[in-house]
Amino acid sequence: QVQLVESGGGLVQAGGSLRLSCAASGRTFYAMGWFRQAPGKGREFVAAIKWSNGDTYYANSVKGRFTISRDNAKNTVYLQMNSLKPEDTALYYCAGGNSMVEVTSSPRYWGQGTQVTVSS
């Protein structure tokens, strides 16, 4: 059974930092990524990483502030979020898939989400 389990969300003041983790079990993925969904909005792509060589991709809204990384031994992907803004408030989902196209658009595998709230 494939599982993606996120952790690390919470409440932080604007300008602060958080690190999200996502532990995968049941299989390894070609790529993994993060999406987020703010209240009343659709789910949007945040960042993705190719498992084999660590190539990364980011949404323009988070470039320079967020960093995605992975730990192959732990089958875990991380999202380091710095300089957080109130508009980063959302439910953050981990995702996994069989290609970068899939992971950055319509991943097959999803975690349950972890809440990030940034206060002004």
Side-chain angles (χ1 to χ4, degrees), residues 59-91:
N60 287 335
S61 57
V62 306
K63 272 182 186 175
R65 300 189 298 123
F66 291 10
T67 302
I68 189 170
S69 62
R70 87 262 195 244
D71 184 326
N72 291 30
K74 296 181 179 180
N75 211 22
T76 297
V77 65
Y78 303 97
L79 186 69
Q80 178 66 44
M81 304 184 294
N82 299 328
S83 302
L84 282 161
K85 306 174 182 179
E87 51 263 45
D88 293 318
T89 295
L91 190 59

